[in-house]
Amino acid sequence: MTAGQTAADLSAAVRAARGGDEAAFRLLYREVQPGLLRYLRGLVGGEDAEDLASETWLQIARDIRTFRDDGAGGFRGWAATIGRHRALDHIRRMQRRPAPGLSAEVLVDLPDRNDTAEQAITHAATNATVELIATLPKDQAEAVLLRVVMGLDAQAVAAVMGKRPGAVRTAVWRGLRKLGERLEEMPGREVAATGVTRTGGSTPRKTS
């Protein structure tokens, strides 16, 4: 599978994996693991994210035969939900809160072309950008991570986080606006570290 893998093809791999096809399961792992790991890094930081991702995949492997795609983000949403539960359990055990920036709601239309926040989205695969997203208020950062890094739509993010889609749209809009503002304020060298080229674009417009 590639980054352009369609939902239909991913669903086909899920069906095969449910039937015990190991090759299909490996394809699912290669397609979903990168985004899942970055999402968990945004929640708990880099040191613990890989262990949590491994625990998530162990549970997925154990339970995949019972998984049924309900349309709310499909397999990606299910993986994100399992990972989120693992992360929250870990946070409670460590008696600490998620990285400075998380909790939330989701989705707003992407900003205009050449907008600073849109460029942040484009480069969200980099660890530096994930770290920058994690500095947002926590009700905005997780929404942005789920929407951008995990690739979930508004309904799926709302399902994962137990929020209403409208609240999610507001959180994502605010998060993208803050991200754009922070990128505009960063010195050139720091901006370069995130992989984002600053253009001086406007902040995203809020949509209904």
Side-chain angles (χ1 to χ4, degrees):
M1 290 186 201
T2 66
Q5 182 66 49
T6 66
D9 290 338
L10 194 64
S11 294
V14 170
R15 289 193 297 272
R18 281 205 311 255
D21 188 325
E22 294 183 4
F25 189 88
R26 286 194 294 271
L27 287 174
L28 290 174
Y29 179 85
R30 287 198 295 268
E31 176 70 10
V32 176
Q33 166 68 358
L36 176 66
L37 182 57
R38 291 178 187 117
Y39 168 55
L40 293 173
R41 281 176 177 155
L43 289 174
V44 302
E47 293 183 2
D48 302 315
E50 290 192 13
D51 288 341
L52 292 176
S54 295
E55 292 175 11
T56 297
W57 282 103
L58 285 174
Q59 183 173 340
I60 289 172
R62 185 188 69 214
D63 297 343
I64 193 167
R65 291 180 185 275
T66 65
F67 171 69
R68 295 294 179 270
D69 188 346
D70 62 3
F75 183 81
R76 292 179 193 276
W78 185 52
T81 298
I82 293 173
R84 186 173 192 264
H85 289 164
R86 293 282 181 173
L88 294 177
D89 286 345
H90 173 78
I91 290 165
R92 283 191 286 267
R93 285 197 305 268
M94 300 300 291
Q95 296 184 330
R96 61 180 174 79
R97 301 178 67 85
L102 300 162
S103 165
E105 350 269 41
V106 101
L107 189 51
V108 74
D109 292 341
L110 294 180
D112 289 341
R113 188 180 302 275
N114 294 327
D115 185 271
T116 304
E118 181 181 1
Q119 292 174 15
I121 286 176
T122 301
H123 296 276
T126 67
N127 289 339
T129 305
V130 170
E131 291 173 3
L132 185 60
I133 292 171
T135 66
L136 296 170
K138 58 184 183 179
D139 69 326
Q140 298 166 18
E142 188 175 5
V144 172
L145 287 167
L146 284 169
R147 171 64 181 124
V148 176
V149 179
M150 284 295 295
L152 302 182
D153 61 20
Q155 293 293 332
V157 176
V160 170
M161 302 188 68
K163 302 286 185 179
R164 293 192 301 269
V168 147
R169 291 187 181 94
T170 298
V172 173
W173 173 71
R174 289 175 177 169
L176 294 180
R177 184 179 64 177
K178 275 193 175 65
L179 190 59
E181 291 171 352
R182 290 181 182 181
L183 286 167
E184 287 297 326
E185 294 168 357
M186 290 172 65
R189 184 165 55 185
E190 292 182 37
V191 172
T194 69
V196 178
T197 302
R198 189 168 50 194
T199 64
S202 59
T203 56
R205 297 190 305 271
K206 186 173 182 180
T207 63
S208 57

